Amino acid sequence: MDYPKPKFGRRDELTPVIKTGFGIFKNKRNYLDRMTVPGHFPIGFTGRRQGPFVEALDSKRKYYFDATNYWMTLPIDVGRHFGKNTKLQTNIGFSLLNAGSTSEFGSVALAAFVARMKRLWPRMNRILPFNSGTQATDAALKWAMAMVMHKNKLKPKDMKVVSLESGFHGRCGMGLEATRKSKNTEDYQTYVTPRIPNPFVVFEENGFVDMVETENNVTRALDKLTKYFAKPSTAALIIEYPMVAEGGAEKIAPEFLIEARRLCDKHGKFLIVDCIQMFGKSGNWFPREVKQVADAICVGKYSRVCAAMLTDPTKRKFDDYAGIPGKFGATWFGHDAAMISTLAIMDVIDKNKLFVNGVKMAKKFYSELKKMTAKGMRVERPRIVGTYVGFDIRGGRDKRDKVISRLQKEGVLALPAGEVSIRFAPRLDTKEWEIEYFLEKLQNSLKRL
Ligand SMILES: Cc1ncc(COP(=O)(O)O)c(C=O)c1O
């Protein structure tokens, strides 16, 4: 089938400083590996996108279909919606060049952002914006630890939080502590976060739910949680919801969330729901049940500005335990430019009711995956929540990794999850041909595996 091809044109708009980076990437291919963190796919991203395609300086391809970044962290095709909006671009540009630090000035962008997030979750009493999701989970966890520590007259060194065996909450600070143990993380973890078994929905190979095994998973997780919650030093439970993303694109059983809330009330603990990856991907900004039961919600990715959104369950004054609120902040505290872009993007999504389209596209994708499963094409356990889709590749981690690298050869960048899975969240304004394009490349990559 013929698909639209991107035309990126000339690079006149690049400043001389950025052109230096261009030269480095072309001539010293391992420079980023040596000097910093090169990212999953070091393809030399130029910053230019067209629809789902990203321009690359890779010697193998001029562009890639981006089912990682674009489908996972940008909710809409910004070129399509904002191409001619110079007012917006000027606002963002000026705030990047000129902005006063939000820790010194209360800015109008911050006021608009806070009001928008309060509308999303009216139970929220305070929001702490940050530049990364990791900082947001870090702040939410420290907040919960401080609250319970004061109540139980303990010291910071005594405090613990509970997380899931396969959780992912960040790459430094408390977020890393709560992330699953692996050979990459354990050198940095100090055991302040005991784990409980994953309360995952169990899918059979064909994608149907095994109710009995799901219930067993929930019971195992709740039993262990009850044990940890009996200790005064346990401050909180942190979970991703409605899906554990990085740790396998697995669905959390909703009854676990409800029961965990009941246990938090019983033992005086906090329930922190990390929606950093799922924000805007559950068919809405948040799942309704999260808004009902959480003490804190963390957001990121789609929101660009990351944030810890906090309620005030103990009615304790915020300043009592954290000194001045600025102690939780930072010089850029989310950054005005990110707030302005987030608000513009959220506006487009709301006005055009784009969640409806996103879910429709994800369902199309999911139903094709189910057909592939029925045909015995190595695709197993397809699962979906809102716009978030996961599936396994039969044959273990090696085979899954092979599919990802074959996809890259086909010009498609796709994200792994857990040991054997691949995950996607099509953009909310994804077009039908993009789903077909991706499926065609996936099928090519599965051949003769
Ligand atoms: C669920 C979840 N929490 C926290 C984070 C950390 O966010 P960031 O990478 O912005 O620090 C991530 C990032 O992938 C995530 O998926």
Side-chain angles (χ1 to χ4, degrees), residues 131-137 167-172 175 179 238-241 243-246 274-278 298-301 306 388 423:
N131 304 74
S132 76
T134 302
Q135 292 166 308
T137 49
F168 183 91
H169 302 289
R171 294 186 169 88
C172 56
T179 286
I238 182 165
I239 53 164
E240 291 164 75
Y241 193 89
M243 257 183 163
V244 157
E246 187 126 345
D274 178 350
C275 286
I276 286 166
Q277 186 146 158
M278 289 306 295
C298 299
V299 294
K301 307 237 181 225
C306 304
Y388 210 97
R423 62 192 151 133

Side-chain angles (χ1 to χ4, degrees), residues 126 128 139 142-143 146-147 150 310 316-329:
R126 190 177 289 269
L128 309 174
K142 291 267 168 59
W143 166 78
M147 298 277 239
H150 279 288
L310 312 174
R316 213 189 150 92
K317 254 185 82 214
F318 190 83
D319 298 4
D320 287 354
Y321 56 84
I324 52 167
K327 285 218 170 128
F328 262 116

Side-chain angles (χ1 to χ4, degrees), residues 13 57 122 253 380:
E13 74 278 19
L57 303 178
E380 284 179 349

Side-chain angles (χ1 to χ4, degrees), residues 228-288:
Y228 287 129
F229 270 9
K231 299 178 187 185
S233 55
T234 305
L237 167 71
I238 182 165
I239 53 164
E240 291 164 75
Y241 193 89
M243 257 183 163
V244 157
E246 187 126 345
E250 297 286 357
K251 203 167 162 178
I252 306 248
E255 57 270 38
F256 173 78
L257 185 80
I258 306 305
E259 279 301 299
R261 170 73 268 163
R262 200 182 56 75
L263 289 176
C264 284
D265 287 340
K266 186 170 167 202
H267 296 277
K269 313 295 184 191
F270 287 72
L271 180 57
I272 301 170
V273 183
D274 178 350
C275 286
I276 286 166
Q277 186 146 158
M278 289 306 295
F279 183 60
K281 297 190 184 111
S282 62
N284 209 325
W285 292 112
F286 303 119
R288 237 189 347 244

